[in-house]
Amino acid sequence: MERRVTAVIERDGDAYVSLCTEFDVASQGATVEEARSNLVEALTLFFETAGPAEIPQRVHCEVFVTQVEVTVG
């Protein structure tokens, strides 16, 4: 079974941090592609090792990624 989840990747200094917002699973890499691949690996390990009760407890079903404008200064 496969599941589509949200991945947010952002630069952090010389590396990239990747986060799956639905399950609060994170990883990192030297490139965007590596951060994405490492996140897939971290999520795979999470689903392989999580107990049946843990997955429903950790999931955030409604995740919205958007941009907003704010006044600065």
Side-chain angles (χ1 to χ4, degrees):
M1 177 178 157
E2 291 193 5
R3 181 178 193 142
R4 182 176 296 264
V5 296
T6 304
V8 176
I9 302 173
E10 64 179 326
R11 181 185 286 277
D12 186 14
D14 293 335
Y16 292 88
V17 175
S18 52
L19 171 68
C20 170
T21 56
E22 286 92 345
F23 292 97
D24 291 329
V25 173
S27 193
Q28 63 182 5
T31 65
V32 170
E33 294 79 17
E34 185 178 329
R36 183 183 183 281
S37 176
N38 290 345
L39 181 61
V40 169
E41 182 179 356
L43 284 162
T44 300
L45 290 171
F46 166 72
F47 285 115
E48 286 176 355
T49 60
E54 184 177 1
I55 294 172
Q57 288 176 333
R58 296 235 344 224
V59 69
H60 303 278
C61 293
E62 292 190 41
V63 175
F64 303 97
V65 178
T66 187
Q67 294 182 337
V68 298
E69 291 186 26
V70 297
T71 301
V72 178

